[in-house]
Amino acid sequence: MTNFKNLIVTGGSGFIGANFIRYLLDEAGFAGRVINVDALTYAANPASLEDVAQRHGRRYCFERADICDRETMAGILDRYEADAICHFAAESHVDRSIVKPDDFIRTNIIGTYTLLQLARERAGRIVRFHHVSTDEVFGSLGAAGYFSEATPYSPNSPYSASKAASDHLARAYHETYGLPVTTTNCSNNYGPYQFPEKLVPLMILNALEGKPLPVYGDGLNVRDWLYVRDHCAAIWTVMQRGTAGRVYCVGGRCEKPNLEVVHRICDLVDAQAPKLADGRSRRALITYVKDRPGHDRRYAIDCTRIEQELGWKPAETFESGFERTVRWYLGNRKWVDAVRSGEYRRWMDQNYTQR
Ligand code: NAD
Ligand code: DAU
C-alpha cells in the first residue's frame, strides 16, 4: 500500500478524471491532497467537480495548465511537492482525430513526454507515475480471441497511434531511467459526466429529444463496456498495489455490438422519460450512417492479470450500469446543457451535417 501525499491528476476535469477524483475523495479513503491539472479544452467541464471542491476544501486544488508547457508544469509539481502523478489528460475522441490529428499528436505524445521527463528529473520524490491508456492501441480483433498484456500493438486511428506512442514512452522511461511507471489499457467506459460526442451519452440525449440515432456502418462493431467507477477503482488499485514497470489490461467482460447498446438505451429512455409524441419506441429513431474510416471491428479484454494479481473485479453489470447511467443523464439537465453549448455545437454542425 502506498500513501501518496500530493497526487497530481492530469485531465481531472474530463470524463474519467472527474469520476476518479470523486472516487478518491468520496469513497476510496485517500488521505492526501489531489491537484487537478487541466487545460480546460472543449471536453472539460469544471462543473463536474463543483461540489467536490466545496466539500473537500484544501484537499482538492485546481490548476489550469497545458501539460505540454514544461515550465508551468515544473512549477506546479514543485509548488505542490508532488509525489505521484495519475495521467489522464489527452485528446480522446477517435472521430476528431480523423478530422484533425494535430492536437492528438501534441497532447498525447508531446504532453506525455513532457510529464515523464519532469517526473524523471524529480525521481527521488515522485514514487508513482500512472499512465492511463486504452485497449485501442492493440488494433482490431476478429470474431474470436481477446486483448491481453501480451498482445502486439497495432493502432489504426491517429488517436490510438498517439496513445500507443505515449505507452511506449512510459515503458521506456521505466526501462531506461527506472521511473516507477504503471500503465492500464482499458476498454470503453460509460457513466456520468461523459462528453456527449461519445456513443452512450450521444444516444441517450438524442433519444430523449427524439433526434436521429446515428449508427455507424452495420452497427455490429463490438466494444467491451465498463462502468466508469469500476475503471477508477482499477486505476487506484494499480497505483497502490501494482508493480512498477507492469502493464494491466482492464475491461468489463461485457462485449456488446453497438446496436444492442443502442437498443438498451432506447428501451431505458422509453421507460424513464415521457413517450415520443407519436407513441413510437425510440428504436424507430435509429439511422444508419456512413461508417467511420478504419473502424475497428471488435475489442474484448482478458483482464485475468488484474483480477488474479490485484483482486480487482467490476461491480456493475451491463444491466445495472446502463440503468444508472441513463437515469443520471435524465436527472442532470443543467450539466448536459452547459456541456452541449459553445464549441461542441459548432464542431458537430461542421462535421456531422447528416445528423
Ligand atoms: P476526456 O476527453 O473526457 O477528457 C480529457 C481531459 O484532458 C479534458 O478535461 C481536457 O481538458 C484535458 N486535456 C486535454 N488536453 C490537455 C492538455 N494539453 N493539457 C491539460 N489538459 C488537457 O477524456 P476521457 O474519456 O476522460 O479519457 C481520459 C483518459 O483515459 C485518456 O487518456 C484516454 O485515452 C483514456 N481512456 C479513455 C477511455 C474511454 O472510454 N473514455 C477508455 C480507456 C482509456
Ligand atoms: O476502447 C477505449 C476507447 O473507447 C477510448 O480509448 C476512447 O477514448 C473512447 O472514445 C472510446 O473509443 P470508441 O471509438 O470505441 O468510442 P465511441 O463512443 O466514439 O464509439 C463507440 C462505438 O460506437 C464505435 O464502434 C463507433 C460507434 N459509434 C460512435 C458514435 C459516436 C456510432 O455508431 N455512432 C456514433 O455516433
Side-chain angles (χ1 to χ4, degrees):
M1 227 32 143
T2 316
N3 286 318
F4 311 120
K5 287 199 178 67
N6 295 301
L7 169 59
I8 302 281
V9 175
T10 70
S13 300
F15 165 47
I16 309 175
N19 278 285
F20 181 70
I21 291 174
R22 285 181 171 277
Y23 174 76
L24 273 190
L25 293 175
D26 289 343
E27 289 189 59
F30 173 64
R33 178 167 63 161
V34 174
I35 304 100
N36 172 14
V37 181
D38 197 300
L40 300 185
T41 70
Y42 80 93
N45 189 351
S48 303
L49 289 168
E50 241 165 34
D51 58 315
V52 169
Q54 280 160 11
R55 270 183 291 118
H56 291 284
R58 274 189 256 164
R59 289 191 53 223
Y60 171 76
C61 308
F62 175 74
E63 292 283 343
R64 184 173 189 176
D66 181 341
I67 56 164
C68 302
D69 178 346
R70 192 189 139 80
E71 216 173 295
T72 302
M73 288 307 301
I76 291 171
L77 293 183
D78 292 340
R79 201 161 60 252
Y80 287 99
E81 297 180 357
D83 54 6
I85 299 174
C86 185
H87 175 38
F88 291 93
E91 287 295 332
S92 69
H93 192 44
V94 174
D95 292 330
R96 284 183 189 250
S97 83
I98 295 167
V99 177
K100 190 171 176 284
D102 313 38
D103 292 343
F104 290 75
I105 305 307
R106 184 176 172 279
T107 290
N108 300 1
I109 305 178
I110 309 288
T112 302
Y113 158 71
T114 305
L115 289 177
L116 287 164
Q117 185 62 22
L118 289 169
R120 176 194 162 205
E121 289 162 7
R122 288 154 183 79
R125 198 179 67 212
I126 294 190
V127 293
R128 178 53 51 100
F129 186 113
H130 184 74
H131 177 57
V132 181
S133 193
T134 169
D135 59 356
E136 298 203 9
V137 297
F138 301 124
S140 186
L141 290 165
Y146 295 91
F147 296 139
S148 77
E149 294 80 6
T151 306
Y153 276 40
S154 184
N156 290 319
S157 71
Y159 163 68
S160 53
S162 68
K163 290 296 290 187
S166 68
D167 290 12
H168 291 319
L169 284 167
R171 176 190 154 82
Y173 269 68
H174 172 75
E175 293 297 322
T176 308
Y177 306 114
L179 192 70
V181 174
T182 44
T183 297
T184 39
N185 291 93
C186 186
S187 62
N188 286 62
N189 284 212
Y190 67 97
Y193 304 106
Q194 187 168 28
F195 193 78
E197 64 188 350
K198 306 277 164 59
L199 180 77
V200 171
L202 179 77
M203 293 295 164
I204 296 172
L205 297 177
N206 280 14
L208 183 64
E209 291 163 15
K211 291 184 182 163
L213 306 178
V215 170
Y216 298 167
D218 61 6
L220 299 180
N221 297 64
V222 171
R223 297 292 183 264
D224 176 353
W225 293 96
L226 181 68
Y227 189 68
V228 63
R229 184 189 171 280
D230 285 325
H231 185 195
C232 295
I235 291 169
W236 188 230
T237 301
V238 170
M239 284 196 75
Q240 294 217 290
R241 293 190 281 112
T243 306
R246 208 148 170 78
V247 171
Y248 299 85
C249 281
V250 183
R253 296 196 186 276
C254 180
E255 280 185 62
K256 301 286 172 198
N258 292 338
L259 208 50
E260 189 177 333
V261 171
V262 177
H263 281 161
R264 171 93 180 124
I265 290 171
C266 289
D267 296 349
L268 284 164
V269 177
D270 280 339
Q272 293 182 19
K275 298 271 170 268
L276 287 178
D278 58 11
R280 287 178 308 164
S281 151
R282 260 100 178 166
R283 290 187 185 206
L285 300 171
I286 291 173
T287 310
Y288 291 92
V289 298
K290 206 162 105 241
D291 208 354
R292 173 187 279 174
H295 194 176
D296 289 334
R297 192 63 174 168
R298 175 171 165 258
Y299 302 150
I301 289 270
D302 173 359
C303 46
T304 305
R305 175 180 286 178
I306 187 170
E307 284 175 350
Q308 292 192 348
E309 290 183 12
L310 305 180
W312 171 87
K313 259 194 191 337
E316 296 294 338
T317 62
F318 181 66
E319 284 67 32
S320 64
F322 274 83
E323 213 274 332
R324 265 174 195 275
T325 301
V326 169
R327 200 169 288 290
W328 190 87
Y329 284 91
L330 266 47
N332 285 275
R333 282 306 301 190
K334 198 170 151 225
W335 183 91
V336 167
D337 291 343
V339 88
R340 279 191 125 188
S341 61
E343 208 217 315
Y344 167 77
R345 197 160 289 289
R346 277 196 298 282
W347 191 86
M348 292 297 269
D349 288 348
Q350 278 162 15
N351 293 285
Y352 286 86
T353 42
Q354 80 271 27
R355 292 176 192 181

